[in-house]
Amino acid sequence: MGEKVIVMGGGVIGLSCAYELQKRGHQAVVLEINRCGGQASGAAAGMLAPYSENVEGPDAFFHLCNESLRLYPEWVKEIKRVSGREFEYTESGSLYIAYHEADRLALEGRLLWQREHGSTGALLEGEELFAREPLLSREVKAALYTPEESHLYAPDYVMALEQACRLTGVQIEEQLVQLTVEEWRNDVVVKAQDGRSFNGDRLLVCSGAWAQELADVFGIRIPIYPIRGQICAYEAEVKPVQHMVFSNQGYLVAKENRTLVCGASEDVAGFDTTVTDKGIERLRKWNKQAFPFLAEQTPFHRWAGLRPSTQDGFPLLGRLSASDRVVMAAGHYRNGILLSPVTAKVAADYIERKKLPEAMEAFDPERFSI
């Protein structure tokens, strides 16, 4: 018989986990202080790019991201089928560009280990590169091409997830303003600001940057902090950029809705989602260097989201030692969209007390308390 699982947080991670739990026969109850997908999830550019986002080497985080990328094609089909909603999912591949010989050599090194872990990529130069991306600046000397990487349109994806949850029986409560965990060791009781109490058998914490507020409740360190990510978009009548294009300064990705998205300027601003001229100008400075035609264009839309960053860059994913009633799945930083399928699977396995591989110890939610 399934259990009743209280899911704190209605972003992409919370909704994905709730859907997976409901599918496995549990009763999921999502509690959201604002609106589902209203924070980092809805603001994301939706890139599914573990090779481009992980430049250092194949650590535990890369393997988690890469496993999620492998899950995505079937996950997308399922969410579309169950929700009855379409959303953009484009297997565009990516280019990570370099302007200098030293950067080109670094790309060669990355290609070696990435090929050992599933990439069929290649280093492109000259006419071969510009044939793939004709409007790219001729100042670009080389690019690492990774055909496996893809992207989706995050707002529509999150709406489809929410609809899939509702249609499978997930209970979703929004606009709760503030949540207080009153019991979690022998029972689960979460109280909303309006006085309502939500009882369950298990508690799954998916509240992103707000998870830090539970440190005193659980008696552990939860070093998750909001990082403001600022993004802008250009109107594009035709598709000017064919791939996701990365550099060490940011990224560009063209969407089916005829927009070209550029991100992401990052800074520490607490929970402030104000868009700043300085942040957007930082994006414009690098993107016109990569694509000169952007020098004559002005973004028509600018926005910001809060990314839940941890002290070591790894999410907090696992059970608490003081009570196996509590599982954490928070702190995914800029990879929440990418990690949603694998996090749903892993979190549900933890809820069901399954034994997970030793590699998951890298994400132990209590690792900062030792």
Side-chain angles (χ1 to χ4, degrees):
M1 180 179 291
E3 296 184 296
K4 188 174 183 180
V5 183
I6 305 297
V7 181
M8 291 182 67
V12 67
I13 296 297
L15 292 171
S16 298
C17 291
Y19 171 77
E20 180 71 18
L21 287 164
Q22 197 74 23
K23 185 175 73 171
R24 295 191 189 191
H26 304 284
Q27 175 59 57
V29 181
V30 174
L31 305 182
E32 170 55 46
I33 60 175
N34 296 301
R35 294 280 299 176
C36 286
Q39 300 300 320
S41 302
M47 296 177 299
L48 312 176
Y51 297 98
S52 295
E53 294 276 13
N54 294 272
V55 301
E56 299 301 326
D59 57 14
F61 184 62
F62 166 77
H63 289 300
L64 188 70
C65 290
N66 205 28
E67 174 62 21
S68 207
L69 180 67
R70 285 195 286 266
L71 293 174
Y72 243 103
E74 290 304 316
W75 176 260
V76 164
K77 290 178 185 177
E78 182 174 341
I79 298 303
K80 287 183 176 181
R81 175 179 56 79
V82 174
S83 69
R85 298 184 67 110
E86 285 296 317
F87 54 88
E88 178 186 358
Y89 170 65
T90 303
E91 296 178 292
S92 62
S94 67
L95 293 171
Y96 199 109
I97 61 176
Y99 294 92
H100 307 289
E101 182 62 21
D103 296 327
R104 179 190 175 282
L105 291 174
L107 293 183
E108 286 184 349
R110 283 167 54 183
L111 178 60
L112 289 176
W113 70 257
Q114 289 178 0
R115 279 181 171 168
E116 294 177 359
H117 297 279
S119 171
T120 59
L123 195 67
L124 305 182
E125 300 174 281
E127 291 307 311
E128 186 178 13
L129 171 59
F130 300 123
R132 285 196 169 274
E133 207 59 73
L135 298 182
L136 191 65
S137 169
R138 267 41 183 181
E139 296 298 315
V140 175
K141 302 304 180 187
L144 179 55
Y145 171 52
T146 308
E148 287 77 18
E149 297 190 321
S150 52
H151 64 92
L152 50 74
Y153 187 63
D156 288 350
Y157 170 54
V158 174
M159 285 192 288
L161 272 175
E162 181 180 349
Q163 183 71 350
C165 284
R166 293 184 186 277
L167 290 175
T168 51
V170 174
Q171 179 184 343
I172 297 178
E173 302 289 343
E174 299 177 285
Q175 306 281 26
L176 297 178
V177 183
Q178 186 174 359
L179 296 169
T180 303
V181 177
E182 297 197 329
E183 299 285 345
W184 59 278
R185 291 181 183 274
N186 302 309
D187 197 5
V188 172
V189 180
V190 180
K191 193 171 184 178
Q193 190 181 64
D194 62 10
R196 283 185 293 164
S197 289
F198 300 91
N199 297 63
D201 303 299
R202 308 283 156 193
L203 176 65
L204 179 56
V205 179
C206 303
S207 46
W210 285 263
Q212 61 173 284
E213 298 173 357
L214 297 173
D216 290 340
V217 175
F218 299 139
I220 63 172
R221 289 188 63 223
I222 304 179
I224 301 179
Y225 310 102
I227 301 295
R228 179 171 59 186
Q230 299 187 58
I231 307 175
C232 65
Y234 298 84
E235 292 180 318
E237 288 301 317
V238 295
K239 191 175 182 180
V241 178
Q242 306 305 309
H243 307 77
M244 293 182 293
V245 176
F246 292 87
S247 80
N248 58 11
Q249 299 294 313
Y251 59 81
L252 282 158
V253 55
K255 298 296 183 179
E256 287 180 353
N257 63 0
R258 296 185 176 181
T259 63
L260 178 62
V261 176
C262 178
S265 173
E266 297 184 343
D267 59 286
V268 179
F271 288 90
D272 182 7
T273 56
T274 302
V275 179
T276 67
D277 290 339
K278 182 179 180 181
I280 299 302
E281 283 306 310
R282 194 180 304 156
L283 298 176
R284 297 187 68 189
K285 182 178 180 180
W286 87 259
N287 69 36
K288 66 184 180 184
Q289 182 183 9
F291 287 90
F293 76 91
L294 289 174
E296 306 300 322
Q297 299 197 23
T298 302
F300 79 97
H301 186 35
R302 317 187 314 173
W303 69 99
L306 300 176
R307 292 164 164 174
S309 175
T310 63
Q311 189 171 311
D312 61 4
F314 286 19
L316 276 60
L317 183 54
R319 285 187 291 263
L320 297 191
S321 60
S323 173
D324 67 358
R325 291 183 180 275
V326 181
V327 172
M328 294 199 67
H332 292 71
Y333 189 36
R334 52 190 288 161
N335 289 286
I337 300 290
L338 168 60
L339 288 168
S340 59
V342 77
T343 300
K345 178 180 180 296
V346 170
D349 285 347
Y350 275 123
I351 289 289
E352 295 178 339
R353 305 175 188 81
K354 292 182 179 178
K355 183 176 178 57
L356 278 87
E358 287 186 11
M360 292 305 300
E361 293 177 3
F363 311 107
D364 182 356
E366 298 179 70
R367 64 186 181 274
F368 300 107
S369 300
I370 299 173

